[in-house]
Amino acid sequence: MVLKFPHFIHGGDYNPEQWLDRPDILARDIELMKEAHVNSVSVGIFAWSHLEPEEGVFQLDWLEEIIDRLYANGIYTVLATPSGARPLWMAHRYPEVLRMSRNLTRNRPGVRHNHCYTSPLYREKVRLIDTALAERFGHHPGVLVWHLSNELGGQCFCPLCQEAFRGWLKDRYGSLDALNKAWWTDFWSHRYSDWSEIEAPVPSGETSCHGLNLDWNRFVTHQTVDFARWERDTVKAAAPDLPVTTNHGESYESINYFKYKDVVDIVSWDSYPLWGRDPDEREIGQNTAFAHDVIRSIKRQPFMLMESAPSATNWQEVSRLRQPGIHMLASMQAVAHGACSVQYFQWRKSRGASEKFHGAVVDHYGGSDTRVFQEVKAVGERLEKLDALLDGCPRPKAAILYDWENGWAMNDAAGPRNLGMHYLETVMAHHKAFWKLGVSTDVIDMECGLDGYRLVVAPMAYLLRAGIADKLRRFCEDGGIVLGTYWTGIVDETDLCFLGGTPGDGLGQLFGLRSEEIDGLYDGQYNLLRPLDGFLPREEYRLTELCELCKCSTAQPLALYGRDFYEGMPALTRNAFGKGTAYYLAARGEQALLDDLTALLCREAGIEPDLDADLPDGVSAIRREGSVTAVFLQNYLPEEVTVSLRRPYRDFESGEEVGSQLTLKPFEVRILEER
Ligand code: GAL
Ligand code: ZN
């Protein structure tokens, strides 16, 4: 446990600076926090103009008063650095701190999350304010963790960033010649003859060089993470013992979150599922489960749920209220997946500006006798009773490979299906198969180790980097089970196609086949997968979007295509490799295929579901393993369901035995312990 407060954290973003002229409200906040069983709030996010109202004039007394008062009332502070938004004086005096957009114009002062991560001036201003905060509060007994900035993300195309990009490329390639080779710049006569000719990819300039696009994306992550590292080093210089986090959004596009692994002490994220969009919550529940699993897998450790909405947001297309019970369901889901906190945006609704209608624990009415407040309070009360589970975390035996850089490269390539390759959707479909089975999974990237797993599913591993081909081969040799799919091993880490057959980099041997062609299908077109010898329960499964035509060397076909000119060619194969087995699925399959195949692979790998039960569709089970191990059983349906348990369990909270038929109310969460 990295935090000094050995309990589940319950609280949220708190902006007292908006209410400094209302001491009555600030006093009332403390009372309401205690009533809601809030034990921590995040303070200082976006408070820079109050902390440094004039250049070089730091005013921290008001913050000290707040932190002291919170602590005196048993409430800890998650202390933010204010770098997510700048005071206007700074943006007006030093325009270089502002971001330049893709059309190469400079943003105007205002809004947030729009600063240049390279600007030495911005970094220096951040260093000064962070140092002031760290010296003043870094050893405060009530301060729990640093919250660096807020949702770092986006891109800046200013000259400083472009120059930094060229410097980064020099480090990476050493010589212009090496860069020209890696980027295949002889194509369309795009050879660089001087470093200064390299520009970021923008719509009005170079966009056709995939190596450039990929490296620019890598650089953007590098620079963003470097900015976080700069802030971390700054606060750690004054207060080395206070742990550090930075809150991620739910985005699989701009920043590769795995690169934060060694920068933060604890990973945190902000979760805003579209609860209420569908007739039931299984789809949204599964999407959110995936996101939690990605976040936990970054460090393979417990994480913080830094923000979530206690009620509707105000930025989704429609601001649906949470059905009664959903708030508890969402909060417990995070805990099930390894969260050590349930925190909200926001504690109190602001009175003006763009988030004045965003859900909050306390709304403009100001009292605690509201539905939302009472549901929040119920979560706080429940968390207080879960202390014994705090040191636990899911410890999956299965992992799914999802790699940001692979996604960038695949989506950029004009290839077999410009209508959409659906990499993320495909990865999520594999994850869904595990979720439905009640088998926990990590979601790892190519830089992660494979130790501790028995089954690794690696869908569409188009770009191979970080030695992943070797890792998969060794994993399989040692007895692991691998499932690979179509569009794997096509390009190397610089986005150059492998010569001599795909999957490249030795993956052809692992899977025992060579993929010769790939057919892109229009929406609505399909093929069929026909299992041989009853290998899978159904007689046929639908295949869509992408179908690969493979020639087996050592692999043995387990299913064949049922249509088109490649009818009878292998669609699913198995290859014995060392002590393990490598499966290859040659086409995009419907969910039922992934479900059936995953169940079969888990059995072969000896991976048992987290709960010994028949899980109805829409009910999930996730085990948190620690000094006490418990399974979170969650109903995502608006109706009662009965789960048949095959082993005796007891309710962790009541201590009572549960029978073999356990009925869950709509959206109910039960926490079970093995007897
Ligand atoms: C988050 C952000 C918060 C708040 C919230 C609203 O992305 O970090 O500051 O804007 O969204 O849902
Ligand atoms: Zn910039």
Side-chain angles (χ1 to χ4, degrees):
M1 187 64 201
V2 292
L3 305 181
K4 61 187 167 204
F5 179 70
H7 306 280
F8 282 95
I9 288 155
H10 185 228
D13 280 22
Y14 180 42
N15 296 99
E17 69 278 10
Q18 295 176 14
W19 304 96
L20 290 178
D21 62 346
R22 290 294 305 267
D24 56 321
I25 286 189
L26 295 179
R28 182 87 179 109
D29 278 331
I30 301 274
E31 293 314 310
L32 289 168
M33 284 171 194
K34 292 207 271 195
E35 191 180 336
H37 295 250
V38 157
N39 55 29
S40 152
V41 286
S42 313
V43 180
I45 310 162
F46 310 127
W48 202 337
S49 62
H50 271 273
L51 298 169
E52 192 183 355
E54 286 173 48
E55 186 166 11
V57 178
F58 297 112
Q59 281 187 3
L60 310 189
D61 293 351
W62 67 271
L63 183 56
E64 184 159 3
E65 247 175 67
I66 298 276
I67 294 176
D68 283 347
R69 176 143 42 137
L70 287 165
Y71 186 54
N73 284 279
I75 301 162
Y76 284 82
T77 294
V78 171
L79 185 56
T81 65
S83 64
R86 306 138 313 280
L88 287 176
W89 59 254
M90 191 191 302
H92 281 283
R93 197 165 305 153
Y94 308 109
E96 83 161 50
V97 304
L98 291 171
R99 197 167 285 184
M100 260 179 143
S101 61
R102 222 171 269 276
N103 63 10
L104 304 178
T105 56
R106 179 86 62 189
N107 290 353
R108 298 292 306 148
V111 292
R112 61 172 178 176
H113 298 167
N114 64 349
H115 32 274
C116 170
Y117 293 127
T118 305
S119 158
L121 202 136
Y122 192 56
R123 288 195 178 208
E124 179 57 11
K125 290 293 176 203
V126 169
R127 194 185 67 77
L128 292 172
I129 186 73
D130 285 5
T131 301
L133 286 168
E135 284 173 350
R136 186 83 163 254
F137 304 115
H139 301 280
H140 194 294
V143 175
L144 208 54
V145 57
W146 286 109
H147 174 303
L148 299 182
S149 206
N150 193 69
E151 291 191 348
L152 295 162
Q155 310 196 350
C156 177
F157 294 82
C158 81
L160 293 169
C161 285
Q162 305 232 19
E163 190 51 34
F165 178 45
R166 290 186 277 268
W168 181 84
L169 290 169
K170 279 181 199 162
D171 286 347
R172 189 173 175 85
Y173 292 103
S175 75
L176 207 50
D177 196 39
L179 175 140
N180 276 312
K181 283 207 178 82
W183 288 3
W184 207 251
T185 54
D186 292 331
F187 181 78
W188 288 352
S189 209
H190 290 181
R191 208 177 167 75
Y192 295 97
S193 54
D194 192 276
W195 291 99
S196 65
E197 293 162 7
I198 300 174
E199 293 182 347
V202 294
S204 55
E206 178 65 278
T207 53
S208 62
C209 176
H210 291 160
L212 164 69
N213 298 346
L214 178 59
D215 275 339
W216 171 256
N217 280 326
R218 287 175 171 146
F219 164 76
V220 169
T221 284
H222 167 88
Q223 205 67 348
T224 310
V225 173
D226 189 64
F227 183 83
R229 193 181 289 112
W230 164 268
E231 288 211 72
R232 179 204 63 186
D233 292 348
T234 303
V235 294
K236 291 252 180 186
D241 297 331
L242 202 57
V244 157
T245 189
T246 185
N247 55 330
H248 302 311
E250 183 175 355
S251 153
Y252 303 105
E253 273 133 44
S254 75
I255 305 296
N256 176 2
Y257 292 152
F258 278 86
K259 294 283 188 186
Y260 282 98
K261 193 182 310 189
D262 303 319
V263 176
V264 296
D265 299 298
I266 183 162
V267 180
S268 64
W269 83 291
D270 305 339
S271 172
Y272 292 98
L274 303 175
W275 302 119
R277 187 196 63 182
D278 305 335
D280 65 57
E281 301 295 4
R282 72 188 105 178
E283 191 75 30
I284 298 299
Q286 189 262 319
N287 292 348
T288 310
F290 176 78
H292 284 311
D293 286 345
V294 171
I295 291 293
R296 185 195 59 249
S297 301
I298 293 172
K299 277 178 104 68
R300 278 169 94 172
Q301 278 171 22
F303 61 92
M304 294 173 84
L305 176 64
M306 189 59 84
E307 293 179 21
S308 61
S311 168
T313 70
N314 73 331
W315 53 263
Q316 292 169 359
E317 282 178 344
V318 169
S319 304
R320 285 236 63 186
L321 294 179
R322 302 274 179 96
Q323 298 277 315
I326 288 290
H327 180 57
M328 180 65 79
L329 180 77
S331 303
M332 289 301 129
Q333 182 187 29
V335 174
H337 284 264
C340 64
S341 76
V342 173
Q343 293 155 278
Y344 312 118
F345 180 86
Q346 49 191 339
W347 167 253
R348 179 183 282 278
K349 258 183 205 176
S350 56
R351 224 181 143 187
S354 68
E355 289 186 326
K356 64 179 178 291
F357 296 126
H358 192 291
V361 182
V362 180
D363 72 13
H364 298 136
Y365 159 64
S368 62
D369 52 340
T370 64
R371 185 180 72 93
V372 168
F373 189 97
Q374 293 304 319
E375 295 209 10
V376 164
K377 178 178 168 186
V379 167
E381 284 171 337
R382 193 167 189 182
L383 286 172
E384 281 172 1
K385 300 190 188 116
L386 303 185
D387 267 358
L389 303 181
L390 186 67
D391 68 358
C393 192
R395 300 283 171 209
K397 295 277 174 284
I400 302 174
L401 201 63
Y402 173 70
D403 191 275
W404 253 263
E405 298 191 14
N406 180 44
W408 292 333
M410 195 186 321
N411 293 332
D412 190 34
R417 209 171 178 278
N418 300 328
L419 272 179
M421 298 295 287
H422 297 137
Y423 174 50
L424 177 61
E425 291 81 351
T426 303
V427 171
M428 287 176 78
H430 282 276
H431 181 270
K432 186 182 205 164
F434 285 98
W435 194 73
K436 286 165 80 176
L437 274 179
V439 172
S440 297
T441 39
D442 280 344
V443 182
I444 56 174
D445 85 342
M446 292 186 188
E447 285 176 35
C448 295
L450 305 182
D451 42 295
Y453 301 122
R454 293 190 206 148
L455 170 60
V456 173
V457 175
M460 304 176 85
Y462 161 79
L463 174 139
L464 300 180
R465 66 183 194 92
I468 189 65
D470 253 5
K471 283 190 270 191
L472 287 171
R473 273 200 315 266
R474 262 183 282 125
F475 172 76
C476 200
E477 255 162 21
D478 293 346
I481 294 178
V482 176
L483 171 64
T485 77
Y486 58 95
W487 213 229
T488 282
I490 309 292
V491 299
D492 69 10
E493 121 153 77
T494 63
D495 212 349
L496 290 177
C497 293
F498 287 111
L499 302 179
T502 59
D505 205 11
L507 289 185
Q509 287 97 294
L510 173 66
F511 295 114
L513 51 73
R514 185 167 68 77
S515 154
E516 199 163 80
E517 293 181 89
I518 185 162
D519 195 12
L521 271 53
Y522 282 95
D523 290 345
Q525 295 181 334
Y526 67 96
N527 206 311
L528 294 169
L529 178 142
R530 296 227 159 94
L532 294 169
D533 308 323
F535 179 73
L536 290 167
R538 295 196 190 176
E539 271 180 21
E540 57 183 41
Y541 298 87
R542 252 178 199 240
L543 304 172
T544 55
E545 297 197 347
L546 294 156
C547 296
E548 232 173 39
L549 281 54
C550 297
K551 286 185 176 156
C552 293
S553 50
T554 52
Q556 161 208 357
L558 299 170
L560 306 177
Y561 284 111
R563 295 176 53 167
D564 216 319
F565 72 91
Y566 40 96
E567 180 178 342
M569 286 184 75
L572 175 68
T573 64
R574 172 169 58 198
N575 191 43
F577 193 82
K579 290 187 224 146
T581 312
Y583 290 82
Y584 194 84
L585 176 60
R588 182 163 196 207
E590 62 176 305
Q591 189 65 43
L593 173 61
L594 304 188
D595 293 352
D596 290 346
L597 186 56
T598 305
L600 193 138
L601 298 182
C602 285
R603 275 200 302 277
E604 186 175 336
I607 300 175
E608 288 183 0
D610 288 23
L611 186 76
D612 200 1
D614 283 324
L615 286 186
D617 194 8
V619 174
S620 77
I622 306 281
R623 186 168 54 221
R624 241 182 110 114
E625 296 178 33
S627 29
V628 174
T629 291
V631 182
F632 286 65
L633 186 64
Q634 307 201 261
N635 180 12
Y636 289 85
L637 308 175
E639 67 241 20
E640 260 187 26
V641 278
T642 300
V643 180
S644 309
L645 301 168
R646 282 190 288 263
R647 232 181 270 183
Y649 288 93
R650 100 163 62 83
D651 186 296
F652 168 78
E653 288 156 295
S654 70
E656 279 163 26
E657 315 268 307
V658 295
S660 63
Q661 300 295 307
L662 176 57
T663 300
L664 295 168
K665 295 200 241 349
F667 307 132
E668 197 186 5
V669 181
R670 296 284 294 269
I671 306 174
L672 305 180
E673 246 185 307
E674 243 175 74
R675 266 205 289 130

